[in-house]
mmCIF file of all heavy atoms in Angstrom:
data_model
loop_
_atom_site.group_PDB
_atom_site.id
_atom_site.type_symbol
_atom_site.label_atom_id
_atom_site.label_comp_id
_atom_site.label_asym_id
_atom_site.label_seq_id
_atom_site.Cartn_x
_atom_site.Cartn_y
_atom_site.Cartn_z
ATOM 1 N N TYR A 151 22.838 147.047 -77.419
ATOM 2 C CA TYR A 151 22.577 148.205 -78.060
ATOM 3 C C TYR A 151 23.485 148.392 -79.329
ATOM 4 O O TYR A 151 24.503 147.956 -79.376
ATOM 5 C CB TYR A 151 22.912 149.407 -77.042
ATOM 6 C CG TYR A 151 22.104 149.137 -75.769
ATOM 7 C CD1 TYR A 151 22.660 148.608 -74.604
ATOM 8 C CD2 TYR A 151 20.759 149.691 -75.606
ATOM 9 C CE1 TYR A 151 21.895 148.378 -73.456
ATOM 10 C CE2 TYR A 151 20.012 149.441 -74.503
ATOM 11 C CZ TYR A 151 20.508 148.957 -73.328
ATOM 12 O OH TYR A 151 19.792 148.721 -72.234
ATOM 13 N N LEU A 152 23.112 149.335 -80.164
ATOM 14 C CA LEU A 152 23.898 149.758 -81.204
ATOM 15 C C LEU A 152 23.920 151.381 -81.241
ATOM 16 O O LEU A 152 22.873 151.917 -81.599
ATOM 17 C CB LEU A 152 23.545 149.286 -82.524
ATOM 18 C CG LEU A 152 24.367 149.608 -83.761
ATOM 19 C CD1 LEU A 152 25.768 148.868 -83.575
ATOM 20 C CD2 LEU A 152 23.674 149.211 -85.070
ATOM 21 N N GLN A 153 25.026 151.927 -80.772
ATOM 22 C CA GLN A 153 25.046 153.367 -80.782
ATOM 23 C C GLN A 153 25.726 153.676 -82.078
ATOM 24 O O GLN A 153 26.714 153.399 -82.589
ATOM 25 C CB GLN A 153 25.906 153.869 -79.783
ATOM 26 C CG GLN A 153 26.170 155.364 -79.677
ATOM 27 C CD GLN A 153 24.901 156.116 -79.360
ATOM 28 O OE1 GLN A 153 24.227 155.816 -78.474
ATOM 29 N NE2 GLN A 153 24.701 157.202 -80.118
ATOM 30 N N MET A 154 24.770 154.664 -82.861
ATOM 31 C CA MET A 154 25.138 155.071 -84.116
ATOM 32 C C MET A 154 25.360 156.556 -84.263
ATOM 33 O O MET A 154 24.407 157.253 -84.069
ATOM 34 C CB MET A 154 24.167 154.595 -85.222
ATOM 35 C CG MET A 154 23.727 153.123 -85.127
ATOM 36 S SD MET A 154 22.680 152.628 -86.431
ATOM 37 C CE MET A 154 21.090 153.573 -86.058
ATOM 38 N N ASN A 155 26.624 156.918 -84.599
ATOM 39 C CA ASN A 155 26.880 158.364 -84.636
ATOM 40 C C ASN A 155 27.245 158.721 -86.067
ATOM 41 O O ASN A 155 27.605 157.784 -86.892
ATOM 42 C CB ASN A 155 28.027 158.721 -83.741
ATOM 43 C CG ASN A 155 27.735 158.472 -82.263
ATOM 44 O OD1 ASN A 155 26.636 158.489 -81.814
ATOM 45 N ND2 ASN A 155 28.779 157.947 -81.500
ATOM 46 N N SER A 156 27.276 159.986 -86.408
ATOM 47 C CA SER A 156 27.741 160.481 -87.689
ATOM 48 C C SER A 156 26.970 159.668 -88.777
ATOM 49 O O SER A 156 27.517 159.260 -89.746
ATOM 50 C CB SER A 156 29.148 160.452 -87.788
ATOM 51 O OG SER A 156 29.808 161.120 -86.862
ATOM 52 N N LEU A 157 25.592 159.491 -88.753
ATOM 53 C CA LEU A 157 24.920 158.820 -89.619
ATOM 54 C C LEU A 157 25.006 159.571 -91.067
ATOM 55 O O LEU A 157 24.979 160.727 -91.193
ATOM 56 C CB LEU A 157 23.477 158.662 -89.196
ATOM 57 C CG LEU A 157 23.221 157.661 -88.128
ATOM 58 C CD1 LEU A 157 21.923 157.693 -87.395
ATOM 59 C CD2 LEU A 157 23.338 156.137 -88.628
ATOM 60 N N ASN A 158 25.081 158.673 -92.158
ATOM 61 C CA ASN A 158 25.043 159.131 -93.404
ATOM 62 C C ASN A 158 23.972 158.381 -94.202
ATOM 63 O O ASN A 158 23.422 157.392 -93.800
ATOM 64 C CB ASN A 158 26.452 159.034 -94.066
ATOM 65 C CG ASN A 158 26.975 157.638 -94.082
ATOM 66 O OD1 ASN A 158 26.333 156.741 -94.614
ATOM 67 N ND2 ASN A 158 28.195 157.423 -93.753
ATOM 68 N N LEU A 159 23.756 158.855 -95.440
ATOM 69 C CA LEU A 159 22.713 158.336 -96.262
ATOM 70 C C LEU A 159 22.859 156.813 -96.413
ATOM 71 O O LEU A 159 21.839 156.122 -96.636
ATOM 72 C CB LEU A 159 22.634 159.081 -97.723
ATOM 73 C CG LEU A 159 22.494 160.568 -97.641
ATOM 74 C CD1 LEU A 159 22.359 161.144 -99.020
ATOM 75 C CD2 LEU A 159 21.140 160.900 -96.837
ATOM 76 N N GLU A 160 24.102 156.380 -96.573
ATOM 77 C CA GLU A 160 24.349 154.893 -96.888
ATOM 78 C C GLU A 160 24.007 154.052 -95.565
ATOM 79 O O GLU A 160 23.894 152.852 -95.744
ATOM 80 C CB GLU A 160 25.824 154.714 -97.248
ATOM 81 C CG GLU A 160 26.193 155.203 -98.577
ATOM 82 C CD GLU A 160 26.245 156.719 -98.635
ATOM 83 O OE1 GLU A 160 26.648 157.342 -97.578
ATOM 84 O OE2 GLU A 160 25.849 157.264 -99.723
ATOM 85 N N ASP A 161 23.692 154.658 -94.493
ATOM 86 C CA ASP A 161 23.265 153.834 -93.455
ATOM 87 C C ASP A 161 21.761 153.641 -93.394
ATOM 88 O O ASP A 161 21.319 152.818 -92.458
ATOM 89 C CB ASP A 161 23.526 154.677 -92.097
ATOM 90 C CG ASP A 161 25.112 154.922 -91.965
ATOM 91 O OD1 ASP A 161 25.829 153.856 -92.163
ATOM 92 O OD2 ASP A 161 25.536 155.904 -91.540
ATOM 93 N N THR A 162 20.999 154.160 -94.321
ATOM 94 C CA THR A 162 19.523 153.798 -94.388
ATOM 95 C C THR A 162 19.377 152.344 -94.678
ATOM 96 O O THR A 162 19.803 151.863 -95.650
ATOM 97 C CB THR A 162 18.902 154.726 -95.455
ATOM 98 O OG1 THR A 162 19.082 156.111 -95.137
ATOM 99 C CG2 THR A 162 17.493 154.343 -95.686
ATOM 100 N N ALA A 163 18.673 151.796 -93.805
ATOM 101 C CA ALA A 163 18.339 150.395 -93.913
ATOM 102 C C ALA A 163 17.387 149.900 -92.796
ATOM 103 O O ALA A 163 17.110 150.554 -91.805
ATOM 104 C CB ALA A 163 19.664 149.572 -93.808
ATOM 105 N N VAL A 164 16.954 148.655 -92.845
ATOM 106 C CA VAL A 164 16.268 148.021 -91.784
ATOM 107 C C VAL A 164 17.381 147.342 -91.035
ATOM 108 O O VAL A 164 18.133 146.490 -91.573
ATOM 109 C CB VAL A 164 15.237 146.990 -92.232
ATOM 110 C CG1 VAL A 164 14.517 146.301 -91.084
ATOM 111 C CG2 VAL A 164 14.129 147.761 -93.085
ATOM 112 N N TYR A 165 17.421 147.520 -89.752
ATOM 113 C CA TYR A 165 18.372 147.060 -88.908
ATOM 114 C C TYR A 165 17.806 145.815 -88.003
ATOM 115 O O TYR A 165 16.768 145.923 -87.453
ATOM 116 C CB TYR A 165 19.036 147.941 -87.952
ATOM 117 C CG TYR A 165 20.002 149.042 -88.609
ATOM 118 C CD1 TYR A 165 19.406 149.839 -89.475
ATOM 119 C CD2 TYR A 165 21.256 148.939 -88.441
ATOM 120 C CE1 TYR A 165 20.356 150.790 -90.230
ATOM 121 C CE2 TYR A 165 22.138 149.764 -89.088
ATOM 122 C CZ TYR A 165 21.681 150.754 -89.900
ATOM 123 O OH TYR A 165 22.518 151.506 -90.642
ATOM 124 N N TYR A 166 18.558 144.668 -87.951
ATOM 125 C CA TYR A 166 18.123 143.550 -87.281
ATOM 126 C C TYR A 166 19.139 143.076 -86.233
ATOM 127 O O TYR A 166 20.318 143.212 -86.374
ATOM 128 C CB TYR A 166 18.097 142.341 -88.283
ATOM 129 C CG TYR A 166 17.090 142.539 -89.336
ATOM 130 C CD1 TYR A 166 17.500 143.235 -90.493
ATOM 131 C CD2 TYR A 166 15.745 142.090 -89.287
ATOM 132 C CE1 TYR A 166 16.544 143.312 -91.583
ATOM 133 C CE2 TYR A 166 14.743 142.402 -90.341
ATOM 134 C CZ TYR A 166 15.258 142.968 -91.515
ATOM 135 O OH TYR A 166 14.369 143.099 -92.481
ATOM 136 N N CYS A 167 18.731 142.711 -85.073
ATOM 137 C CA CYS A 167 19.654 142.035 -84.106
ATOM 138 C C CYS A 167 19.428 140.528 -84.258
ATOM 139 O O CYS A 167 18.396 140.072 -84.539
ATOM 140 C CB CYS A 167 19.405 142.610 -82.665
ATOM 141 S SG CYS A 167 17.703 142.346 -82.043
ATOM 142 N N ALA A 168 20.461 139.854 -83.844
ATOM 143 C CA ALA A 168 20.431 138.415 -83.942
ATOM 144 C C ALA A 168 21.293 137.925 -82.779
ATOM 145 O O ALA A 168 22.239 138.633 -82.268
ATOM 146 C CB ALA A 168 21.072 137.965 -85.202
ATOM 147 N N ALA A 169 21.057 136.750 -82.408
ATOM 148 C CA ALA A 169 21.611 135.965 -81.301
ATOM 149 C C ALA A 169 22.308 134.694 -81.557
ATOM 150 O O ALA A 169 21.613 133.865 -82.405
ATOM 151 C CB ALA A 169 20.722 135.893 -79.987
ATOM 152 N N GLU A 170 23.385 134.340 -81.117
ATOM 153 C CA GLU A 170 24.047 133.085 -81.175
ATOM 154 C C GLU A 170 24.188 132.334 -79.830
ATOM 155 O O GLU A 170 24.906 132.947 -78.952
ATOM 156 C CB GLU A 170 25.354 133.339 -81.839
ATOM 157 C CG GLU A 170 26.324 132.076 -81.987
ATOM 158 C CD GLU A 170 27.472 131.944 -81.180
ATOM 159 O OE1 GLU A 170 27.557 132.714 -80.230
ATOM 160 O OE2 GLU A 170 28.292 131.016 -81.363
ATOM 161 N N LYS A 171 23.647 131.271 -79.715
ATOM 162 C CA LYS A 171 23.736 130.532 -78.465
ATOM 163 C C LYS A 171 25.069 129.963 -78.370
ATOM 164 O O LYS A 171 25.661 129.366 -79.258
ATOM 165 C CB LYS A 171 22.600 129.485 -78.509
ATOM 166 C CG LYS A 171 22.572 128.727 -77.121
ATOM 167 C CD LYS A 171 21.508 127.784 -77.109
ATOM 168 C CE LYS A 171 21.278 127.144 -75.783
ATOM 169 N NZ LYS A 171 20.208 126.136 -75.691
ATOM 170 N N GLY A 172 25.682 130.131 -77.191
ATOM 171 C CA GLY A 172 27.107 129.618 -76.915
ATOM 172 C C GLY A 172 27.902 130.854 -76.653
ATOM 173 O O GLY A 172 28.689 130.898 -75.710
ATOM 174 N N GLY A 173 27.722 132.010 -77.410
ATOM 175 C CA GLY A 173 28.197 133.237 -76.986
ATOM 176 C C GLY A 173 29.529 133.645 -77.589
ATOM 177 O O GLY A 173 30.000 134.657 -77.211
ATOM 178 N N TYR A 174 30.249 132.744 -78.251
ATOM 179 C CA TYR A 174 31.643 133.169 -78.698
ATOM 180 C C TYR A 174 31.757 133.262 -80.228
ATOM 181 O O TYR A 174 32.868 133.515 -80.630
ATOM 182 C CB TYR A 174 32.569 131.961 -78.247
ATOM 183 C CG TYR A 174 32.685 131.913 -76.678
ATOM 184 C CD1 TYR A 174 31.865 131.003 -75.933
ATOM 185 C CD2 TYR A 174 33.428 132.875 -76.081
ATOM 186 C CE1 TYR A 174 32.124 131.000 -74.602
ATOM 187 C CE2 TYR A 174 33.542 132.774 -74.694
ATOM 188 C CZ TYR A 174 32.889 131.783 -73.926
ATOM 189 O OH TYR A 174 32.857 131.781 -72.586
ATOM 190 N N LEU A 175 30.677 133.203 -80.940
ATOM 191 C CA LEU A 175 30.749 133.587 -82.373
ATOM 192 C C LEU A 175 31.895 132.596 -83.004
ATOM 193 O O LEU A 175 32.596 133.186 -84.023
ATOM 194 C CB LEU A 175 31.069 134.997 -82.625
ATOM 195 C CG LEU A 175 29.981 135.993 -82.022
ATOM 196 C CD1 LEU A 175 30.412 137.384 -82.045
ATOM 197 C CD2 LEU A 175 28.600 135.841 -82.760
#
């Protein structure tokens, strides 16, 4: 999840989620 509070105009965008196998970035 991505909880987004206090949104402003600059937050306008298409949001994507992505995954990394292995889990540790």
Side-chain angles (χ1 to χ4, degrees):
Y151 306 97
L152 184 68
Q153 178 66 44
M154 306 186 297
N155 299 327
S156 303
L157 286 161
N158 58 51
L159 300 181
E160 289 70 38
D161 296 319
T162 294
V164 177
Y165 285 70
Y166 301 87
C167 60
E170 177 250 14
K171 190 173 182 180
Y174 292 100
L175 299 169

